[in-house]
Amino acid sequence: MSAPSHFNLTARVLHWTMALLILTMLLVGVGMVSSVSQRPWLVDLHRPVGIAILLLVIVRLANRLRHTPPPLPADLPRWQSAAAHASHWLLYGLMFAMPLIGWSMLSAGGYPVVMFEGFQLPPIAPHDPTVYAILRGAHSWLAALLFATVMVHLGAALFHAWVRRDGVFEAMARGPRQKGP
Ligand code: HEM
Ligand code: HEM
């Protein structure tokens, strides 16, 4: 079977939905640690949206492993395709790590992991202040790494869209065009 020219619909819908959710989470995260008055509702939003990202990335990884993605252009310099693959797997790693660290950090701190009123998740880490401190630090540092990686990824996507015009952006932005009669 020949390689596809575009990401499948599931991959595209999940990519753009999750991009929006992750950017929201980064902003909400920074907002809740910098504003005491806004903190309560921002934290209430941050926990369930973070867990939703964890559920979505499981579906996304399964879809990604079952469907071959479109190949990068053959004339792309080797270092650029290596960087693209490495950064995509780094993004996958962070999409799993961030929510899992958030959940285990609250568990280690002995805080309830409330999703919405009347429903909370069980702890997934032992109640231990040292573990809490390590995970709390990791949550901030990895958030910064995620933000930086997304910015480089955005720059690369726009480079493909506006400078190289090589179809890489369209492969994620839309489905294949129907051929005319
Ligand atoms: C993709 C998922 C996530 C992203 C991108 C994210 C991002 C962030 C960011 C940027 C901060 C501010 C860090 C700082 O400036 O120090 C933060 C704080 C926080 N996050 Fe997340 N987070 C995610 C998932 C979660 C989850 C699933 C939970 C819990 C269930 C969680 C719980 C928290 C808590 C409680 C804080 C504030 C801690 C404090 O004020 O001491 N996060 N997050
Ligand atoms: C939080 C934000 C984002 C994350 C976590 C993310 C993650 C990813 C990942 C993991 C891939 C590899 C394909 C896959 O397996 O799903 C990918 C591909 C892609 N992303 Fe993003 N993305 C984000 C935001 C954006 C934005 C804002 C743009 C453009 C404006 C963009 C454009 C693209 C394009 C064009 C591809 C296809 C690259 C290729 O063919 O190899 N992404 N993204």
Side-chain angles (χ1 to χ4, degrees), residues 15 23 26 79-80 82-88 90-91 94 144-161 168-169:
H15 175 271
L23 290 172
L26 289 167
W79 73 268
Q80 284 183 29
H85 288 127
S87 61
H88 291 167
L90 176 62
L91 286 167
L94 291 170
L145 177 63
L146 174 61
F147 180 71
T149 313
V150 168
M151 287 302 114
V152 174
H153 179 73
L154 169 67
L158 296 180
F159 178 69
H160 283 284
V168 167
F169 185 79

Side-chain angles (χ1 to χ4, degrees), residues 5 7 11-12 14-16 18-24 26 60-61 63-65 67 69-73 76 84-85 87-95 146-147 149-151 153-158 160-161 167-173:
S5 59
F7 284 90
R12 284 183 274 126
L14 285 170
H15 175 271
W16 295 111
M18 292 184 73
L20 198 70
L21 291 178
I22 290 168
L23 290 172
T24 305
L26 289 167
R60 181 166 174 184
L61 183 64
N63 178 65
R64 175 67 173 70
L65 296 175
H67 299 275
L72 287 166
L76 196 67
H85 288 127
S87 61
H88 291 167
W89 288 114
L90 176 62
L91 286 167
Y92 267 106
L94 291 170
M95 287 188 280
L146 174 61
F147 180 71
T149 313
V150 168
M151 287 302 114
H153 179 73
L154 169 67
L158 296 180
H160 283 284
V168 167
F169 185 79
E170 288 69 21
M172 187 55 97

Side-chain angles (χ1 to χ4, degrees), residues 65-151:
L65 296 175
R66 282 172 55 122
H67 299 275
T68 323
L72 287 166
D75 65 345
L76 196 67
R78 270 260 297 264
W79 73 268
Q80 284 183 29
S81 57
H85 288 127
S87 61
H88 291 167
W89 288 114
L90 176 62
L91 286 167
Y92 267 106
L94 291 170
M95 287 188 280
F96 273 101
M98 284 304 295
L100 283 173
I101 292 175
W103 184 356
S104 36
M105 160 181 115
L106 288 182
S107 310
Y111 301 106
V113 189
V114 180
M115 292 293 98
F116 47 85
E117 217 179 284
F119 178 67
Q120 66 186 57
L121 297 177
I124 53 166
H127 183 184
D128 179 333
T130 311
V131 175
Y132 172 78
I134 293 169
L135 294 174
R136 179 68 188 84
H139 200 67
S140 289
W141 282 107
L142 292 181
L145 177 63
L146 174 61
F147 180 71
T149 313
V150 168
M151 287 302 114

